[in-house]
Amino acid sequence: MSWSSRLEGVAPFRVMNLLEAAQAREAAGHDVIHLEIGEPDFPTPAPIVEAGQQALNAGHTRYTPAAGLPALREAIAAHYAECFGASVAPERILVTPGASGALLLASQLLVESGDRVLMADPTYPCNRHFMALAGAAIDAVPVGEESGWQLDAGLVATHWREDTRLAMLATPSNPTGHMLDADQLGDVAGAVAERGGHLLVDEIYQGLSYDLAPLSAASVAPGAFVVNSFSKYFGMTGWRLGWLVAPEAAVEPLSRLAQNVFLAASTPAQHAALAAFRPECRDILEQRRIELQRRRDALLDGLVSLGLAPSLPPQGAFYLWLDISRYSSDSEAFCRQLLEEENIAITPGTDFALQGGERHVRIAFTTDVGRLEEAVGRLERFLARRKGTR
């Protein structure tokens, strides 16, 4: 059987195979510590759940407009004004089935077959895959501590080509958790604008920041396309709801695309998300952000003694990107053996980095401090058996 050639550039998400193996070990009676999936152990906040139940009971199950429930678009716009000082008209916001729906719209609008797209390496792999499915060639620019694990204006200038059409950022980033500040974001936006390109910014971990104030490209680069989600900060992973902020001129073609590729996002989920901006819900979310920072700090403290703590700690999201080259040059084998020997599930760097992924792993601090401390103890035993081996 022959399939579309578009799929050739879409690699499997290895963490899902690891999750399946971890769940099989759990089913066999092993105590597995899950640090692999980007989903904290918090349930969706009660006010959101209650609003969703009320929507179902009220019969809110019919289609909304393709761009989303007007009241939700207005609530998101108010959120930008209140939290980031950004003036975003509700009409510029399109509500989508998860951030993936927003990425689908942006990729189909912004790139033609053969266009080039700049993004950091490492990055969330689906960012590459959405652009590749649209026919783009990906220029994955290796980044490290010297640029804060982000594309900066200098890298954009160095790697921009005549046929580059788009630069994509992620702040806070997955897998490194690093952020761009306002000056850095403005500099990148300026470098892209000077070259006549588009800027797309993935902000799905916005709000989950620990050392820098939350920031949106919407307040720094009004012409940027901004992707966000209710999954991470708002705790609505399974509700599958996100949004895209677009320049005014792009709204009509994006709406046409939405009408055809997904018609509309889930109606009950949209009504539930209205509760995410209420004060009682924001209090819950802030408490969770503080708890995630506590988990980050506890995990960093534990990794210092193992020589694995990054010298540039993550400022946001809920991940650590660790260099394991002292112990292994095969992150997939490292993760597999760690699961088999110590029942810890973490993610190989090859899921995220085209260069250097075999020397890195991602740890998600998505479980409580006690379990993180237990994981550090197990990891210490595991590494002690590998000192001096490669």
Side-chain angles (χ1 to χ4, degrees):
M1 184 70 70
S2 176
W3 308 118
S4 167
S5 61
R6 289 190 299 273
L7 294 176
E8 293 176 3
V10 179
F13 208 3
R14 296 169 182 87
V15 68
M16 301 312 295
N17 294 331
L18 194 80
L19 175 62
E20 184 177 351
Q23 290 171 335
R25 290 190 67 79
E26 279 186 314
H30 297 280
D31 176 27
V32 175
I33 301 177
H34 288 277
L35 309 176
E36 77 278 39
I37 295 296
E39 186 173 35
D41 54 351
F42 310 128
T44 298
I48 296 175
V49 174
E50 292 165 5
Q53 292 169 335
Q54 291 169 5
L56 289 170
N57 291 335
H60 294 311
T61 57
R62 303 180 71 84
Y63 295 130
T64 69
L69 194 68
L72 183 57
R73 297 167 77 191
E74 291 168 4
I76 295 169
H79 172 68
Y80 277 103
E82 176 188 352
C83 296
F84 312 114
S87 178
V88 179
E91 293 76 22
R92 292 176 51 206
I93 297 166
L94 292 94
V95 180
T96 58
S100 297
L103 284 166
L104 174 63
L105 293 183
S107 64
Q108 294 300 313
L109 179 77
L110 296 175
V111 298
E112 304 273 9
S113 180
D115 287 341
R116 308 195 74 86
V117 174
L118 284 183
M119 60 182 68
D121 184 29
T123 193
Y124 181 57
C126 294
N127 290 344
R128 293 193 299 263
H129 297 157
F130 270 109
M131 296 301 162
L133 285 170
I138 310 302
D139 288 325
V141 180
V143 296
E145 290 188 359
E146 66 283 353
S147 66
W149 294 100
Q150 290 280 359
L151 278 184
D152 59 23
L155 289 171
V156 169
T158 299
H159 293 275
W160 196 275
R161 305 190 194 185
E162 185 178 345
D163 50 355
T164 303
R165 184 173 176 84
L166 175 71
M168 184 171 184
L169 305 174
T171 177
S173 69
N174 177 10
T176 72
H178 291 91
M179 299 172 62
L180 291 162
D181 64 27
D183 289 340
Q184 293 166 330
L185 190 52
D187 289 345
V188 172
V192 171
E194 286 173 12
R195 290 159 177 80
H198 295 293
L199 179 63
L200 175 62
V201 185
D202 171 353
E203 294 184 350
I204 73 169
Y205 294 93
Q206 183 189 61
L208 293 175
S209 59
Y210 313 117
D211 302 320
L212 297 174
L215 171 72
S216 176
S219 61
V220 177
F225 292 77
V226 180
V227 172
N228 211 320
S229 173
F230 285 96
S231 290
K232 306 302 183 181
Y233 176 70
F234 296 101
M236 295 179 65
T237 49
W239 298 76
R240 306 311 305 131
L241 200 65
W243 72 85
L244 176 65
V245 178
E248 184 177 353
V251 170
E252 189 280 326
L254 285 168
S255 297
R256 262 190 289 136
L257 279 170
Q259 291 165 3
N260 283 276
V261 298
F262 54 71
L263 189 60
S266 162
T267 299
Q270 291 188 65
H271 281 274
L274 285 167
F277 302 106
R278 295 177 188 164
E280 65 271 24
C281 191
R282 296 303 295 270
D283 289 344
I284 294 169
L285 297 173
E286 177 60 12
Q287 292 167 11
R288 293 179 177 186
R289 186 196 66 80
I290 293 170
E291 170 60 17
L292 285 169
Q293 181 170 355
R294 193 169 77 92
R295 294 177 181 186
R296 180 201 66 164
D297 294 345
L299 185 55
L300 285 171
D301 287 346
L303 292 173
V304 166
S305 63
L306 304 183
L308 283 178
S311 57
L312 189 65
Q315 301 122 329
F318 35 69
Y319 306 114
L320 296 181
W321 181 245
L322 302 184
D323 183 344
I324 59 164
S325 58
R326 289 174 53 194
Y327 300 99
S328 177
S329 58
D330 185 345
S331 62
E332 293 181 36
F334 182 92
C335 292
R336 185 170 59 251
Q337 292 160 3
L338 182 61
L339 177 62
E340 292 170 354
E341 296 179 27
E342 294 291 348
N343 293 303
I344 303 174
I346 62 175
T347 309
T350 47
D351 259 347
F352 306 97
L354 299 178
Q355 298 187 45
E358 70 282 355
R359 301 189 305 275
H360 288 83
V361 296
R362 189 194 75 174
I363 295 181
F365 44 95
T366 48
T367 191
D368 65 67
V369 168
R371 292 292 275 172
L372 292 174
E373 291 173 344
E374 169 67 18
V376 169
R378 295 186 193 184
L379 182 59
E380 184 175 16
R381 290 198 304 264
F382 178 79
L383 296 178
R385 297 193 295 270
R386 278 157 180 76
K387 280 185 177 179
T389 65
R390 288 288 300 276

